[in-house]
Amino acid sequence: MAEKKQALLLFCKPPVPGLVKTRLTIERGGFLSPEQAAELFRRCLYDVSEMCMQALLSMQADNDALVAEDPSVDKITYDFFVSTTPADNVELMRETYDALGKWPMEIHYITDKGATFDDHFDDAFKQIFEMGYEHIVSVGGDVPTMPITHISQAFQWLDYFQDLGTPGFVQAPCQECGTSLVGFSYNTPINHQGVYYNLTGKPALDAYVEKLQEMDIPSAYFTPVADIDEKVDLAHAVSCIRAIKEAAKYQTEIYVPQRVLDWCDFMNIRVSTPPNDNHDPRQYIDEE
């Protein structure tokens, strides 16, 4: 039996007014104050973290059961990491999580460094891999509609590629050619350089695909998950979350980002579209 460690990395800033979700503020064309935007992000962070922990705990329970039944099965430990920058913000992140009391899993905090976002992302991955972790799956704190199955399936695909002897890569896009989930193994020949800090206008998703093609790296793709940057993103998220809550009556495995929904209801945020007044896109419309 081998013992392995796998990590979920939440890569984000602390929910400080003026630091997060500024494009949702009135000053940047939105409709929230800096304090309200920060509170929204705090709620997103809590919901995303709880969803990820539920996925990790479920996978941990499954592996524990397999090991108990067959001691020759690899024993896997799943851990939850939060990376932020600069180092002073680690205590702010810790205080943010501690404000809710005890979490279902231990939270490991690290600080990422670098001259660009790509450098920071690489540094966070490097630190965790140097601790002996086999796979890392990373998400941001602003994707409250991330399906819990994206997390578990990402680790399953990385296990599959590793078992084949061809360490791989997993990703889910966001709504603007970027990514909402990224993951790979310690021996996958890839990094984040030139992906987010790109001076030629190449989208992050395309930059990753080019790396995969260049190095012949196998990959798995998951359906897009929108992050929340602009007010239209928030409108989309609110409608989706209300649909998720309704579906959860029957899809018992689905995760409902209730904290975000409660805040939106408290703020009386309602989603609307222009009335459909003789703008039916069908070529043929029934005549009266």
Side-chain angles (χ1 to χ4, degrees):
M1 177 188 72
E3 293 194 10
K4 300 178 179 180
K5 298 190 298 181
Q6 301 181 5
L8 188 291
L9 169 63
L10 199 67
F11 193 78
C12 65
K13 305 172 185 176
V16 176
L19 182 64
V20 295
K21 300 302 150 197
T22 55
R23 281 181 279 174
L24 290 172
T25 62
I26 296 171
E27 293 82 356
R28 298 285 299 276
F31 62 98
L32 301 178
S33 69
E35 292 74 20
Q36 290 168 339
E39 181 59 27
L40 170 62
F41 181 67
R42 183 193 311 273
R43 301 292 184 111
C44 289
L45 183 63
Y46 288 156
D47 279 335
V48 172
S49 298
E50 184 176 66
M51 179 276 298
C52 289
M53 289 184 183
Q54 285 189 12
L56 296 179
L57 289 170
S58 177
M59 290 187 292
Q60 187 71 71
D62 289 344
N63 181 254
D64 290 347
L66 287 174
V67 172
E69 183 178 335
D70 181 0
S72 67
V73 173
D74 292 342
K75 177 176 175 54
I76 303 174
T77 299
Y78 297 93
D79 287 321
F80 181 86
F81 282 81
V82 172
S83 186
T84 192
T85 191
D88 291 347
N89 281 344
V90 170
E91 189 55 36
L92 286 175
M93 293 301 297
R94 193 186 307 274
E95 292 173 0
T96 297
Y97 279 99
D98 288 349
L100 282 192
K102 185 174 177 59
W103 285 78
M105 296 183 68
E106 180 181 359
I107 302 173
H108 303 272
Y109 298 92
I110 62 174
T111 302
D112 49 88
K113 300 177 182 179
T116 67
F117 186 92
D118 295 345
D119 291 342
H120 281 264
F121 216 3
D122 276 338
D123 183 56
F125 271 64
K126 181 175 181 289
Q127 290 183 55
I128 296 173
F129 282 140
E130 288 180 346
M131 297 178 197
Y133 286 83
E134 180 185 27
H135 309 317
I136 299 173
V137 173
S138 179
V139 299
D142 59 351
V143 285
T145 59
M146 174 74 68
I148 193 169
T149 52
H150 273 29
I151 304 300
S152 56
Q153 289 176 8
F155 283 104
Q156 290 166 2
W157 273 103
L158 291 177
D159 280 337
Y160 173 72
F161 292 135
Q162 197 76 306
D163 290 343
L164 289 180
T166 55
F169 179 88
V170 293
Q171 66 180 348
C174 66
Q175 73 276 29
E176 294 182 340
C177 306
T179 57
S180 58
L181 178 151
V182 169
F184 51 88
S185 305
Y186 76 97
N187 52 351
T188 304
I190 197 169
N191 56 33
H192 307 288
Q193 292 300 307
V195 174
Y196 301 98
Y197 186 68
N198 187 291
L199 303 180
T200 64
K202 186 184 303 176
L205 195 63
D206 294 78
Y208 277 128
V209 170
E210 285 189 10
K211 287 176 178 285
L212 298 175
Q213 293 171 339
E214 179 182 351
M215 299 302 295
D216 196 24
I217 301 169
S219 65
Y221 171 92
F222 305 113
T223 54
V225 183
D227 57 15
I228 301 176
D229 287 327
E230 311 278 357
K231 56 187 178 184
V232 292
D233 302 331
L234 179 56
H236 175 75
V238 171
S239 290
C240 287
I241 293 171
R242 291 193 172 122
I244 288 170
K245 184 173 183 178
E246 178 62 24
K249 297 175 183 177
Y250 310 95
Q251 290 177 283
T252 55
E253 76 285 357
I254 206 168
Y255 178 82
V256 181
Q258 190 65 51
R259 296 179 183 88
V260 174
L261 183 58
D262 288 345
W263 183 83
C264 291
D265 287 341
F266 173 77
M267 293 292 294
N268 198 31
I269 294 176
R270 294 292 180 266
V271 180
S272 63
T273 60
N276 185 356
D277 182 15
N278 293 327
H279 294 291
D280 195 311
R282 293 176 300 172
Q283 184 177 1
Y284 301 104
I285 301 176
D286 295 335
E287 296 181 359
E288 294 183 1

